[in-house]
Amino acid sequence: MSATNTPVGAAPAAPAYPAQVTGMDILVRALKMVGIDTMYGLVGIPVTELAYIAQGRGIRFVGFRHEQQAGMAAATHGYLTHTPGVLLTVSSLGFLNGLTATANATVNCYPMIQISGSSVREPIDLLQGTYEGLDQLNIAKPLVKAAYRVNKPEDIPTAVVRAYRAAISGRPGGVYLDVTTPCLGAIMDSAEADKLFYEPIDICPAMPPSPEAVKRAVSLIASARRPALIIGKGAAYARVEDLLKDFVDRTGIPYLPMSMAKGVLPDNGPLSALSCRSTVMEQADVVILAGARLNWLLSRGHGKWSPDTKFVQLDIDPEEIDINRPIAAPVVGDLVSSLDAILAALPEKTAIDPTWVPGLQAQTKEKNAKFIARLTANASAQPMNHWTALGAIKPVMAANPDVILVNEGANTLDDTRDTIDMILPRHRIDCATWAIMGMGMGSAVGAAVATGKSVVAIEGDSAFGFSGMDFSTVCRFKLPVTVVIFNNGGIYNGIGVNMAGTSDPAPTTLDVHARYDKLGDAFGAKTYYVTTPSALVAALTEAIASKAPALIDVQLGADSGKESGHIGYLNPAALENITV
Ligand code: ADP
Ligand code: MG
């Protein structure tokens, strides 16, 4: 560490600053000024000292093995806390690795700020071959909500406030803040630096909708015969569970959650239409979208949707309206303000058809009975398949409703989402809008650190591979995270055939005999290898209760799971039709 640094571990009070401070000191102080208390990252030149200073001055630094996972943690932290998560990366490759997560955060409307050190500007601009020379700002720009570079220590507090505002206001997203090596190391007199700090006013302003928009929406809702509410993760993020509960209690409108919105209102509540998605799409006359986009996950408003359905869309982003289909009543504003206004204007009586909800409830009952039969059908068959394993997990999760569920994979994602009911808001974190793999360990760490709650990550074996080394981060930070790996030996499944007939594995084939539990042993976790539902119940129960790092290798059959899970239709051709 350079001699000019503030001593590591110094108290944060102003007198503890020496007569001169560096850009790094100013950056840490600026982050504290806006309330940042946690930073995720992976250090190296030029940000190692910065992380030491941050830790010394009371910002929790959670160091990872791969920047993408640190970024996933920051994004999850942002989503769960309604404040930007912060990711710290080194220049060039570290920056690029982290940018994947920042781009994913932008797509998913998670507020986060990636702060990356970057090399000296001049030789980058003149392509003179400098250390880790990369034009990071321009690479980041198209992938993030906003991108800034700060070159002078005097500008750091302004840059941090602007990055914070951009990440959190309006539609949240990923923000890139480039800090050059000279800026990090620049020295200023403390007395001068002191004058730079200020308290930003109204850093996440309310954005109320227009009264006309509210009126239009309310009259459509009030006149609906077969209305339904679709809850998206924007509503989970906006923390409007109480307002939505009030809305459905007063109107009797059934609700359908998007994946990460499961639990905003309980999946098992009397008005939950979770099992009646197709019926809602085909029959609802008015659908209220609350923080949910009419994107591919809702067939972009086509497919099964009735062409006559009218949409009320509550969203903070005016550009989201009409993206795939005309929206009859857009309500552009933040969800708290919009729902407040709608609730205030709702009439006592609506026109809801008295047979609509009972019909959905009867269908729910019937479908749930069939589903339970599927979970228990082959309970004693060996090896287990996804359904038997999930049948074992379901009651354990039901007994631990406050555990946050992280979930990725293909079949592991789809089948877990269908099986595990969520009762509490913001308790399900998954691959989300891009349906990406490689968010598991990062999101699990971010969820545990941000909330202090226990986490269970249910991972496909392929999905786990993207972030597996960061299970060691779970262990180093002694987090209450249980990782459950569904090992069916492959991407989708383990029965792919090499079409050349050589001994190389097929493109989808991994290792159905891999003992992932031994990976956990390497880092001192509690580990389990289970082959039966009863052993899985016992292992998961014990692991959750331990509130310590744990890893459960669940042995499935190689033939369990189909190509691409529920979204095989997105492939250009089905695997069984491929010829060479
Ligand atoms: P899901 O996949 O669960 O449907 P999406 O991420 O697709 O959720 O959509 C979330 C939507 O919520 C986005 O269009 C975003 O603009 C919106 N949103 C995010 N935060 C707020 C907020 N505070 N108020 C209103 N809308 C919001
Ligand atoms: Mg969506």
Side-chain angles (χ1 to χ4, degrees), residues 80 236 241 260-265 423-428:
L80 292 176
E241 49 271 14
M260 282 177 55
K262 277 164 67 80
V264 169
L265 297 180
I423 309 303
L424 298 171
R426 294 171 296 282
H427 277 58
R428 185 183 158 86

Side-chain angles (χ1 to χ4, degrees), residues 48 101 111 140 198 265 306 316-317 378 383 392 395 443-444 490 504 537 578:
T48 310
Y198 66 102
L265 297 180
S306 158
I316 202 157
D317 185 356
N378 298 306
S443 293
D504 283 350
V537 169
I578 299 280

